[in-house]
Amino acid sequence: MTAPLEGIRVIELANYVAAPSAGGLLRDLGAEVIKIEPPGGEVMRGVVPTGTGPGTAPFNFLFELENRGKRSVTVDLDAPGGPEVVHRLLAGADIFLTNLLPRRLRRFGLTPEEVHARNPAVVFVAITGYGLDGPDADRPGFDFSAFWTRSGIMSLIGHPGGPPVISRIAQGDHTTGMAAVAAALAALRLRDLTGNGQVVDISLQQTGLYTIATDVAKTLVDGRQPRRFDRTAPENPLFNTYPTGDGHWVMLVHMTPDPYWPRLCRVVGREDWAADPELATMAGRRQRGAELAAGIEQAFLAETLASLAEKLDREGLIWAPMVELPEVVADPQLRGRDAFQLLETPAGTFETVAAPFRIRGADVRVRGPASAPGADTLDVLRAAGYTDDDIADLAGRGIFG
């Protein structure tokens, strides 16, 4: 099988998660990804304590998740000539992937204009908290701040009147990374059609905005803040969470519930609800949402998850149980779709999370572990035209730390 991005070279100058996750997916698709790191390696290499003692992991699973299969070159951008090394590497690149803020791009002579002046055909992909322009372009942003909080997502999550809820780690990073891959590939296609390099400018904030675009579209029309979801008084009792008698939770998911309403009534033994004309429409059920939710919950609490699952499936209702991660990683549906793949590292062979897509007949897979910091520096520089004397001169100037 052929890798979709075979022959594509990516130069990645990025740290933390969002941009490196995009580079990791491009590598899974077959691109060569050369990661430029500061001497000693980027900050995420030290986030997960590794070892065999308490509180440690056998390997840095977080860094490997985002950087698997990449080659590593160490360059000190603050050393004399450091940015010039990046430019030399970019001369043979198809994609330049970075999360440097605009002020740092200007400082190192790596703005889109400066990069395109030397390689007019490269696709410049910038992933930042707030974008390359606008009043907050130089404001640092992580997924917790720019994606989760500043986009408005946090204001919509949690029980009405309750405190704000913090997202899980890297939700916004990975969402933004996937969006960046899609935009980068579109820009690469446009480059191939026109011969001109492109600039992809993607922000955590705007990606977060798009994930709640349905709510935002409503606010654009009526100017109001959508209300938080209240499971004790839902507008639609068929779109809600309910506990079972053996300590589990299930989620009913029916956005247009009218055809399913009589089926749920049979599951909970309330044929009187099905016959009640006030409950025959969505509007009527909305008026009595608290009563219906309480009745459904009472009926579900009389069931085990297994017995309830049999009834829900028999009636063709759309639902899912809440499952914890040890169950998720053992899920036969995910296992059957190769959602987890083996990663061979110096510390041993472990599983990691695969790319969230497959292309039939194409070679899309995890392609080995991340290189050690700077492990590929000499090979990459020589391939870029540097002689051994050039490399010795760079070392003497402290380029490699």
Side-chain angles (χ1 to χ4, degrees), residues 118-312:
R118 300 181 64 167
N119 182 353
V122 74
V123 171
F124 189 112
V125 181
I127 303 177
T128 58
Y130 300 99
L132 291 179
D133 53 16
D136 288 327
D138 278 317
R139 177 185 291 274
F142 286 93
D143 64 337
F144 293 109
S145 56
F147 178 94
W148 184 256
T149 308
R150 188 80 180 272
S151 72
I153 300 174
M154 179 184 277
S155 74
L156 302 172
I157 305 298
H159 194 272
V165 175
I166 299 175
S167 70
R168 298 302 302 176
I169 186 170
Q171 277 185 282
D173 289 326
H174 289 137
T175 304
T176 304
M178 287 190 290
V181 168
L185 296 182
L188 198 64
R189 169 65 172 159
L190 186 57
R191 187 279 304 268
D192 291 344
L193 290 173
T194 66
N196 299 320
Q198 307 294 325
V199 178
V200 173
D201 177 4
I202 188 166
S203 73
L204 287 158
Q205 183 188 27
Q206 199 164 349
T207 305
L209 182 79
Y210 187 75
T211 67
I212 54 169
T214 302
D215 284 310
V216 176
K218 182 177 182 296
T219 298
L220 288 170
V221 173
D222 64 19
R224 298 177 180 175
Q225 168 75 0
R227 75 183 188 100
R228 290 185 180 183
F229 185 81
D230 183 355
R231 63 167 301 274
T232 65
E235 292 188 6
N236 175 7
L238 275 80
F239 186 82
N240 202 11
T241 57
Y242 297 100
T244 66
D246 55 349
H248 295 279
W249 285 84
V250 300
M251 176 87 193
L252 297 180
V253 186
H254 294 278
M255 301 297 291
T256 54
D258 284 7
Y260 298 97
W261 174 243
R263 303 181 192 183
L264 178 69
C265 292
R266 288 194 292 270
V267 167
V268 298
R270 295 297 302 265
E271 286 77 4
D272 58 312
W273 284 353
D276 189 334
E278 289 187 359
L279 300 177
T281 66
M282 181 73 175
R285 291 191 290 274
R286 182 181 297 113
Q287 294 297 319
R288 295 168 59 180
E291 170 197 344
L292 297 176
I296 295 169
E297 180 164 321
Q298 182 180 17
F300 280 20
L301 283 171
E303 303 276 359
T304 64
L305 176 61
S307 65
L308 181 62
E310 190 277 329
K311 292 181 179 180
L312 293 170

Side-chain angles (χ1 to χ4, degrees), residues 5 8 10-33 35 63 65-68 70 95-99 125-128 170 172-185 200 202 204 355-357:
L5 296 184
I8 296 297
V10 180
I11 300 298
E12 176 189 304
L13 178 60
N15 54 14
Y16 292 104
V17 177
S21 76
L25 291 175
L26 292 170
R27 179 65 185 129
D28 286 354
L29 287 164
E32 177 191 19
V33 181
K35 183 179 182 71
F63 186 82
L65 176 64
E66 319 304 348
N67 296 284
R68 62 220 189 179
K70 299 176 186 177
I95 296 174
F96 178 38
L97 176 62
T98 185
N99 69 345
V125 181
I127 303 177
T128 58
D173 289 326
H174 289 137
T175 304
T176 304
M178 287 190 290
V181 168
L185 296 182
V200 173
I202 188 166
L204 287 158
F357 46 76

Side-chain angles (χ1 to χ4, degrees), residues 48-59 61:
V48 177
T50 57
T52 58
T56 67
F59 77 116
F61 57 85

Side-chain angles (χ1 to χ4, degrees), residues 69-83:
K70 299 176 186 177
R71 305 174 78 189
S72 173
V73 171
T74 50
V75 175
D76 184 350
L77 292 177
D78 288 311

Side-chain angles (χ1 to χ4, degrees), residues 292-352:
L292 297 176
I296 295 169
E297 180 164 321
Q298 182 180 17
F300 280 20
L301 283 171
E303 303 276 359
T304 64
L305 176 61
S307 65
L308 181 62
E310 190 277 329
K311 292 181 179 180
L312 293 170
D313 285 343
R314 186 176 65 231
E315 292 291 346
L317 292 166
I318 303 171
W319 71 284
M322 185 185 78
V323 291
E324 296 186 343
L325 293 194
E327 298 172 86
V328 172
V329 299
D331 190 321
Q333 175 65 22
L334 292 172
R335 289 285 165 186
R337 290 181 54 79
D338 298 323
F340 313 102
Q341 293 181 12
L342 292 177
L343 180 66
E344 295 182 5
T345 77
T349 300
F350 304 91
E351 284 191 310
T352 190

